[in-house]
Amino acid sequence: MRRVRDVFYINANFNEKYFIYYGMEFKEFIKHNPIKIENILVTEGNYIANNFNRSWFLETANGKNDILELSKEDIYGLGNFHWLDYNNEVDLNSCTPEEKAEVLYLSHFGKPLNSPFFSGINNDFVYLSHDDGWFCKLYCKDMCVFKDIIANKIIESFSTNKRRKIYPMPEDIKEEILELTKKGLLIDFSNIYRDNKCISLNYYTIGHYEDMDEMYNNLERNKYRADVKGIIEHKNKSWKIQSRNN
């Protein structure tokens, strides 16, 4: 049964250039991503697309409209949903059998034989999700892209009142939040505090989890035992992070 995504957990591995996260669905990833993805090769997931690539025997989504329509589908119902982006059809069809084998190995086993990034297709991401919003392993060529994704998700959660303007998050705050993902960052959207001047939510660093059942089923204990607890706050047109060690 689909559960409400009331927290956003991000476990970063900067050495191997990936994030493991819970609490963000595919449609949010597309919406909040500062890199506009034009082409997707679906390597796992029973997605029925208008485009079938006969060189790969896989479905593709091409152009902003295709990807927007895909984001409206029941991705959760697909179970596994794996894809990587690519430049264009010519480059995709020019991949060698060895490159195709590496892509499919990465999709199946969740780790690369060599690199998750392929010069022939110039991909920025490899997206390996299970039960949309429950588990995703995202290889990310530029890890700093994720600081904007996190910031945009927080800003959207704060922007429920049209009469209240939420100002852009400055780079130093984004950097500080991204740094916290190295310790396993949990952002709690379940209890956002609001008054006339301030909006805030709590965050915790709870360590490194790859099993989202273990992370989520022990959520209260994990928050209680967090190494660092703090608040992300928007007040008087500015952003602030307050933290304290346990």
Side-chain angles (χ1 to χ4, degrees), residues 109-125:
F109 290 103
K111 56 185 179 181
L113 281 170
N114 294 297
S115 169
F117 309 109
F118 304 91
S119 58
I121 60 174
N122 195 29
N123 63 306
D124 288 301
F125 305 104

Side-chain angles (χ1 to χ4, degrees), residues 1-9 21-28 74-77 79 129-136 153 156-157 186-192 212-213 215-217 219:
M1 182 178 178
R2 194 170 193 165
R3 306 188 196 187
V4 176
R5 313 303 184 199
D6 49 1
V7 297
F8 187 24
Y9 169 74
Y21 61 84
Y22 165 101
M24 182 170 65
E25 298 179 344
F26 172 71
K27 63 183 179 183
E28 295 177 275
D74 178 21
I75 303 297
Y76 181 87
S129 75
H130 175 72
D131 290 348
D132 190 31
W134 184 258
F135 172 92
C136 187
K153 184 171 169 63
E156 184 181 65
S157 75
L186 182 79
I187 302 172
D188 189 356
F189 292 105
S190 66
N191 189 23
I192 297 176
M212 296 302 104
D213 287 293
M215 183 281 297
Y216 192 85
N217 291 338
L219 197 59

Side-chain angles (χ1 to χ4, degrees), residues 119-154:
S119 58
I121 60 174
N122 195 29
N123 63 306
D124 288 301
F125 305 104
V126 178
Y127 186 99
L128 309 170
S129 75
H130 175 72
D131 290 348
D132 190 31
W134 184 258
F135 172 92
C136 187
K137 184 175 187 179
L138 178 75
Y139 285 94
C140 195
K141 186 185 291 182
D142 179 3
M143 297 287 278
C144 288
V145 167
F146 213 78
K147 69 184 179 184
D148 291 304
I149 293 174
I150 298 171
N152 290 338
K153 184 171 169 63
I154 293 171

Side-chain angles (χ1 to χ4, degrees), residues 56-80:
W56 285 77
F57 290 96
L58 294 171
E59 288 93 358
T60 63
N62 307 115
K64 294 179 182 178
N65 288 338
D66 262 15
I67 293 170
L68 181 61
E69 288 304 310
L70 174 57
S71 72
K72 296 176 183 177
E73 296 288 333
D74 178 21
I75 303 297
Y76 181 87
L78 298 178
N80 288 342

Side-chain angles (χ1 to χ4, degrees), residues 186-216:
L186 182 79
I187 302 172
D188 189 356
F189 292 105
S190 66
N191 189 23
I192 297 176
Y193 172 80
R194 290 181 172 88
D195 65 20
N196 292 332
K197 296 181 179 179
C198 175
I199 305 178
S200 65
L201 51 68
N202 296 318
Y203 75 84
Y204 311 83
T205 58
I206 64 171
H208 301 286
Y209 288 90
E210 295 192 6
D211 183 337
M212 296 302 104
D213 287 293
E214 183 182 0
M215 183 281 297
Y216 192 85

